[in-house]
Amino acid sequence: MLLRCSSLKCKLLLPLPLPLPQLITTRLSSCSTVTVNPTILKQCSSLSHAKLLQQQVTVQGLLHHFTRHLIATYIALSSTIRATVLLLTLPPSPLSVFWWNQLIRRSLHHGDPHGSLALYHQMKAHGWTPDHYTFPFVFKACADIPSFSAGTSLHAAVLRSGFDSNVFVCNAVVGMYSRCGSLQDARNMFDELCQRGIQDLVSWNSIVSACSRASETNTALQLFVEMTTRHWVSPDPVSLVNILPVCAFVGSSMQGKQVHGFAVRSGLVDDVFVGNAIVDMYAKCGKMDQANKVFERMKLKDVVSWNAMVTGYSQTGMFGDALSLFEQMRQENIKLDVVTWTAVIAGFAQRGHGSEALDVFRQMCNCGSQPNVVTLVSLLSGCASIGALLHGKETHCYAIKFMLNLDGNDPRDDLMVINGLIDMYAKCKNVAVARTMFELMPPKDRDVVTWTVMIGGYAQHGDANHALQLLSEIFNMGNSLKPNDFTLSCALMACARLAALRLGRQIHAYVLRNRYDCIVLFVANCLIDMYSKCGDVETAQVVFNNMPEKNSVSWTTLMTGYGLHGRGEDAIRVFDEMRKVGLVPDGITFLVLLYACSHSGMVDHGINFFYRMRQDFGVPPGAEHYACMVDLLGRAGRLDEAVKLINCMPMEPSAVVWVALLSACRIHSNVELGELAASRLGELESGNDGSYTLLSNIYANARRWKDVARIRYLMKNTGVQKRPGCSWVQGRKGTATFFVGDRSHSQSQQIYETLAELIQRIKAIGYVPQTSFALHDVDDEEKGDLLFEHSEKLALAYGILTIPPGSPIRITKNLRICGDCHSAITYISMIVEHEIILRDSSRFHHFKNGSCSCKGYW
């Protein structure tokens, strides 16, 4: 070690091989000033050595010679407190501000922005003046927290200290406002720089990045063009990495291609970050061929390059290519990171392959890779897709142990996981647990996704009434929370399930008021579905006609609506129009067509479409298409042809095929075939309450009461419970619900009196109760009394009592309407001034002037 004398009179340089304590005690009597060669302090490998050095120099009264070097040593050893204590012993000076900057910077480097701010305030409190290097570090700390209030206070300090003309400081201000979510303030600062003419490339990069972060993509693109064309500022790699994700976000592959061309011409394409951004841009624009070309030509690739390709293939539906690339990464021993694993897990989950997603997750954990929030959310989506409640619960436990409520966690990450858990439980039909998690969250912590997954869970797998109640709560919150397109789609789904036309119209009005004329495609599709299932297919057609953009779902949804209403000709018209615009029909399209033909009695058309789907369109019929054909032939009484078709199926007939045959046997009272269909259902272990009820009805109609009793005993013995018939009707004061023989309504007496009067009047014009639908071994008079109390008749009587003449009465039943009720309502439509629109579990019936739209095909 060396000790150097800094006196002008002494040029002595002493070699000192002594240990550190002895070195310090060496006296140099001939010198007035002594400093330590920096190499001595650099040899301090631990905090204890540095503290010992400080102790010795303090004892010898030489501390002032060592202070700055000791500060540097303590900073290097991450002892911020000791460095600060020493720094405060120095008098404030512009030269020594360097050490404050080092301390603030190191605190930032170690992920402690609050510590950086505290150091800045301590520095100011002791009379030190920040310089133009200090402010950028402190602005970054404000952005990392983020703290808008601290950032604005610091900006004021910049203005007072005269650094508002320093481009480096002003660029930091732009970045701070951007990351604190105040794009307008960032833009104001940038505009001031431009007015003064001091903006540089970093200024442009900062404001483009700010617009990109705030999703102001068009503004970001405009600024980039302005930078390169009006101000002739040549982009650097950071510029390109900023703008390429913007091109990807808006799907502008053309502008992305122009940036790519510039990167090639300027040689920046060889930068791995630029190359990765180009690959990612093409992938997100769905241009995987171009993405692959850039990927193959990259001289240097890292795991980000591979991830961009794997994710791109996965998100564009080319999941086979994604898996191939994933396996190639493993074969070439490229280290897989959390993004790689997550892309594959998400790909499986999005395609409903939850088991495969779980398997990849296990492999990921076995490889020692730690999942992140996106991984868990993707995994929960996979569990939801296959109803894997047990695996979902395991994922929940993992989240509790390793991710939720940990110190330093971003609350937004926790919220993403909780939202994923609520969604998983709801889609696994455990809506009660989902609701419990929802209620345990403080209302202020719920975001629009939280509300949406809960509403969606109720709409799809729970109680649609609860879904609409939650939507009402959102509307009652005012401007603090607004439903998004997914929220409204889920709510429209609930309206469709309940046939809640009034509320569906209110949601439609809300969409028009808040989205003007531009309705998101999938919301428009949900509106078509809602109107169709609420009995107003004409309005569904209007919504369809006004859509600026349509996809195959739009056309298929409208066709389904016409099929539900027995309007097969209109369904075929829509199919022909769909072909004219160049859309290719698929299996779902033909399934909807066959359904429409079946419910409209268009047997020959249905047979024609069934055989043409393979010959003319290359779509092989599946089991569900055969089931539709069996239903079509069965409704028309062509049971022998239906059985022949089943015997010729190229695959094993599924349960739905036998249910279709059993239903046809119920219509045409064919006991022998009904027993065959029921037997096959039993072999498939697919017996449900509907199958048992159909067979029981067949036996009852044939007056085989012992077989009816046997079926009921079998149901009881196997734990199968028949769903009670339930009907609901929209009145002036909301929706009223009725069960068989229901007398719980406050107007019950008036309802029964009205119904009794109606029955008497229609009997006078020819109505005869069809007692075969009273499935009990009692006399005909008692059967008539049983039929009198059916839920759809009670709902109709309530509707006539409460709805003004001339207005339609809309009734929904959870089961198929019984034959006697169908006959009675047909007669009632002759004597009341209402169109009666009844939706059962199979289709719509429009009763008017003594006829029904189903024409007997129900």
Side-chain angles (χ1 to χ4, degrees):
M1 287 188 279
L2 302 176
L3 191 67
R4 185 186 301 275
C5 171
S6 63
S7 169
L8 295 176
K9 296 180 180 179
C10 180
K11 303 301 182 184
L12 179 64
L13 189 64
L14 300 176
L16 294 172
L18 302 173
L20 189 59
Q22 296 179 38
L23 178 148
I24 298 303
T25 57
T26 302
R27 301 180 64 85
L28 297 175
S29 58
S30 62
C31 301
S32 58
T33 306
V34 178
T35 61
V36 175
N37 189 310
T39 57
I40 299 173
L41 288 169
K42 288 180 181 177
Q43 294 179 20
C44 291
S45 58
S46 69
L47 184 60
S48 59
H49 287 169
K51 288 161 67 176
L52 188 57
L53 174 61
Q54 182 181 353
Q55 180 184 6
Q56 293 294 337
V57 297
T58 302
V59 169
Q60 295 300 320
L62 301 173
L63 181 61
H64 63 284
H65 296 295
F66 288 79
T67 301
R68 289 178 175 80
H69 295 303
L70 276 169
I71 291 171
T73 301
Y74 282 132
I75 291 175
L77 295 172
S78 300
S79 181
T80 302
I81 295 176
R82 290 188 171 275
T84 305
V85 169
L86 279 175
L87 189 52
L88 291 175
T89 65
L90 296 176
S93 68
L95 185 63
S96 297
V97 170
F98 169 81
W99 300 111
W100 284 105
N101 294 344
Q102 289 295 97
L103 282 168
I104 294 169
R105 180 184 184 184
R106 191 167 189 82
S107 186
L108 270 177
H109 179 73
H110 286 283
D112 183 17
H114 291 282
S116 296
L117 269 180
L119 285 166
Y120 168 76
H121 291 305
Q122 190 175 9
M123 167 190 182
K124 291 277 290 179
H126 287 83
W128 292 74
T129 302
D131 63 11
H132 61 286
Y133 293 108
T134 313
F135 286 113
F137 294 138
V138 186
F139 276 123
K140 187 177 186 305
C142 296
D144 286 350
I145 293 175
S147 174
F148 179 76
S149 58
T152 52
S153 298
L154 190 64
H155 189 187
V158 166
L159 295 173
R160 289 193 301 270
S161 58
F163 287 110
D164 54 321
S165 296
N166 186 290
V167 67
F168 303 108
V169 175
C170 292
N171 289 342
V173 174
V174 173
M176 179 275 297
Y177 279 129
S178 163
R179 293 180 58 194
C180 287
S182 181
L183 177 61
Q184 188 56 55
D185 288 313
R187 186 61 191 265
N188 291 342
M189 185 72 256
F190 174 77
D191 290 342
E192 286 184 28
L193 284 171
C194 293
Q195 288 171 7
R196 297 177 185 178
I198 59 173
Q199 79 278 10
D200 61 4
L201 177 59
V202 177
S203 312
W204 286 101
N205 287 346
S206 298
I207 193 61
V208 170
S209 175
C211 293
S212 174
R213 184 178 287 108
S215 298
E216 292 288 341
T217 48
N218 290 330
T219 306
L221 287 168
Q222 291 168 6
L223 285 168
F224 183 80
V225 171
E226 184 179 346
M227 174 185 92
T228 53
T229 58
R230 280 186 55 193
H231 295 269
W232 300 102
V233 177
S234 183
D236 65 357
V238 175
S239 312
L240 303 189
V241 171
N242 276 342
I243 200 61
L244 283 165
V246 176
C247 298
F249 184 82
V250 298
S252 178
S253 58
M254 184 59 66
Q255 287 177 297
K257 190 177 290 187
Q258 292 173 356
V259 176
H260 180 193
F262 173 84
V264 172
R265 292 191 302 274
S266 61
L268 296 177
V269 73
D270 294 329
D271 184 292
V272 67
F273 298 105
V274 174
N276 290 343
I278 294 171
V279 170
D280 184 64
M281 179 274 298
Y282 280 125
K284 287 179 178 173
C285 289
K287 307 287 186 181
M288 289 309 301
D289 288 340
Q290 288 92 328
N292 188 54
K293 287 178 183 177
V294 177
F295 177 77
E296 293 296 337
R297 292 172 183 169
M298 287 177 69
K299 297 176 182 177
L300 178 64
K301 300 185 184 80
D302 58 13
V303 69
V304 177
S305 320
W306 291 85
N307 287 346
M309 289 298 296
V310 172
T311 305
Y313 279 131
S314 178
Q315 292 177 345
T316 53
M318 304 169 69
F319 193 53
D321 294 309
L323 285 178
S324 298
L325 208 58
F326 176 70
E327 291 302 327
Q328 186 180 342
M329 291 176 72
R330 296 176 118 176
Q331 292 168 7
E332 296 185 15
N333 294 320
I334 296 169
K335 185 175 175 59
L336 307 177
D337 65 6
V338 64
V339 178
T340 323
W341 291 105
T342 301
V344 177
I345 291 170
F348 277 125
Q350 288 163 4
R351 284 153 187 82
H353 303 311
S355 300
E356 290 83 351
L358 288 163
D359 183 55
V360 174
F361 179 73
R362 293 187 191 99
Q363 294 177 41
M364 174 185 180
C365 294
N366 291 337
C367 290
S369 185
Q370 291 294 320
N372 61 14
V373 171
V374 180
T375 317
L376 277 196
V377 171
S378 299
L379 184 63
L380 288 168
S381 176
C383 295
S385 69
I386 58 171
L389 181 59
L390 180 59
H391 292 302
K393 288 180 176 179
E394 291 173 358
T395 309
H396 190 177
C397 291
Y398 181 93
I400 291 171
K401 289 180 182 177
F402 302 109
M403 196 159 292
L404 292 174
N405 300 320
L406 299 180
D407 292 338
N409 264 17
D410 187 337
R412 292 171 295 184
D413 289 347
D414 282 0
L415 183 59
M416 279 181 63
V417 175
I418 293 170
N419 289 343
L421 286 166
I422 293 173
D423 184 56
M424 181 275 296
Y425 279 115
K427 288 180 178 174
C428 289
K429 301 183 181 179
N430 200 336
V431 184
V433 174
R435 184 58 186 262
T436 300
M437 292 191 67
F438 178 84
E439 294 296 341
L440 286 173
M441 291 179 67
K444 63 180 179 60
D445 291 344
R446 300 173 194 153
D447 64 0
V448 68
V449 178
T450 317
W451 289 88
T452 300
V453 294
M454 195 67 249
I455 290 172
Y458 275 130
Q460 291 178 299
H461 303 291
D463 186 341
N465 282 304
H466 285 136
L468 298 179
Q469 287 169 7
L470 287 175
L471 182 69
S472 296
E473 289 184 35
I474 294 179
F475 286 143
N476 291 335
M477 294 169 68
N479 292 326
S480 60
L481 183 75
K482 286 191 174 182
N484 62 19
D485 300 319
F486 296 101
T487 320
L488 296 173
S489 297
C490 292
L492 288 168
M493 192 187 310
C495 291
R497 286 193 64 182
L498 293 172
L501 180 60
R502 184 179 301 160
L503 186 54
R505 285 171 173 165
Q506 291 171 359
I507 295 172
H508 190 182
Y510 177 87
V511 169
L512 293 174
R513 284 197 306 270
N514 291 274
R515 304 293 192 280
Y516 303 102
D517 294 329
C518 182
I519 302 178
V520 178
L521 179 61
F522 59 84
V523 176
N525 290 341
C526 286
L527 283 168
I528 296 171
D529 182 62
M530 181 274 296
Y531 279 116
S532 298
K533 291 178 179 175
C534 289
D536 192 355
V537 72
E538 285 77 14
T539 304
Q541 179 74 65
V542 171
V543 172
F544 178 86
N545 292 341
N546 289 328
M547 290 172 65
E549 178 189 0
K550 303 176 182 73
N551 60 8
S552 59
V553 177
S554 316
W555 292 91
T556 305
T557 304
L558 184 61
M559 288 167 56
T560 304
Y562 279 123
L564 275 171
H565 291 264
R567 294 169 59 171
E569 298 88 350
D570 287 310
I572 293 173
R573 169 182 58 79
V574 174
F575 174 74
D576 292 336
E577 290 174 2
M578 173 183 171
R579 291 184 59 201
K580 286 178 183 177
V581 299
L583 286 175
V584 179
D586 58 11
I588 296 175
T589 312
F590 283 104
L591 189 63
V592 170
L593 266 180
L594 293 174
Y595 172 88
C597 291
S598 175
H599 284 75
S600 307
M602 302 172 68
V603 182
D604 293 336
H605 283 85
I607 293 172
N608 182 42
F609 281 123
F610 179 75
Y611 289 107
R612 283 181 60 201
M613 61 185 288
R614 183 194 291 274
Q615 296 171 3
D616 297 350
F617 300 95
V619 180
E624 62 277 8
H625 297 97
Y626 279 95
C628 265
M629 282 300 296
V630 171
D631 185 63
L632 176 80
L633 295 169
R635 287 176 189 273
R638 297 159 68 167
L639 294 177
D640 291 340
E641 292 179 55
V643 172
K644 185 178 178 181
L645 183 67
I646 293 173
N647 292 333
C648 294
M649 285 177 65
M651 74 284 291
E652 282 296 316
S654 61
V656 70
V657 174
W658 294 114
V659 168
L661 181 63
L662 185 61
S663 179
C665 293
R666 164 68 183 88
I667 296 170
H668 299 287
S669 304
N670 191 317
V671 178
E672 184 181 353
L673 272 182
E675 288 179 327
L676 171 67
S679 173
R680 294 291 185 268
L681 284 169
E683 291 172 7
L684 293 170
E685 297 182 352
S686 297
N688 55 36
D689 69 314
S691 306
Y692 285 109
T693 302
L694 282 171
L695 184 58
S696 177
N697 290 354
I698 293 172
Y699 285 137
N701 201 39
R703 296 184 176 274
R704 290 171 53 171
W705 301 112
K706 288 184 179 179
D707 287 317
V708 171
R710 179 174 57 83
I711 295 297
R712 288 177 178 167
Y713 175 79
L714 187 61
M715 290 176 69
K716 183 177 180 181
N717 208 34
T718 54
V720 177
Q721 292 185 337
K722 183 180 182 298
R723 286 171 294 169
C726 174
S727 300
W728 57 96
V729 59
Q730 294 183 27
R732 285 184 299 178
K733 297 181 180 179
T735 301
T737 304
F738 298 90
F739 293 89
V740 177
D742 197 339
R743 294 182 181 272
S744 62
H745 196 277
S746 59
Q747 294 179 268
S748 180
Q749 183 176 348
Q750 293 172 273
I751 291 169
Y752 276 88
E753 289 173 355
T754 301
L755 183 55
E757 182 187 345
L758 289 169
I759 296 298
Q760 288 299 319
R761 291 177 63 187
I762 62 175
K763 280 183 177 179
I765 58 174
Y767 163 68
V768 178
Q770 298 183 26
T771 55
S772 62
F773 290 96
L775 307 175
H776 296 274
D777 187 12
V778 294
D779 59 43
D780 284 350
E781 185 177 350
E782 193 171 344
K783 286 182 178 180
D785 293 338
L786 292 171
L787 294 172
F788 178 80
E789 297 182 340
H790 279 193
S791 64
E792 52 266 59
K793 289 190 180 83
L794 298 176
L796 175 57
Y798 174 78
I800 292 171
L801 272 174
T802 58
I803 296 174
S807 299
I809 298 173
R810 302 178 186 276
I811 302 170
T812 307
K813 185 176 182 183
N814 65 331
L815 306 176
R816 289 181 66 178
I817 184 175
C818 91
D820 177 71
C821 290
H822 189 277
S823 174
I825 295 173
T826 303
Y827 275 99
I828 290 171
S829 70
M830 298 170 65
I831 62 173
V832 297
E833 297 179 29
H834 298 278
E835 178 185 4
I836 303 164
I837 302 171
L838 189 147
R839 170 183 145 190
D840 66 10
S841 61
S842 177
R843 59 166 300 147
F844 272 91
H845 302 265
H846 293 255
F847 300 93
K848 192 172 184 179
N849 298 327
S851 64
C852 178
S853 60
C854 71
K855 301 174 185 175
Y857 291 97
W858 61 275

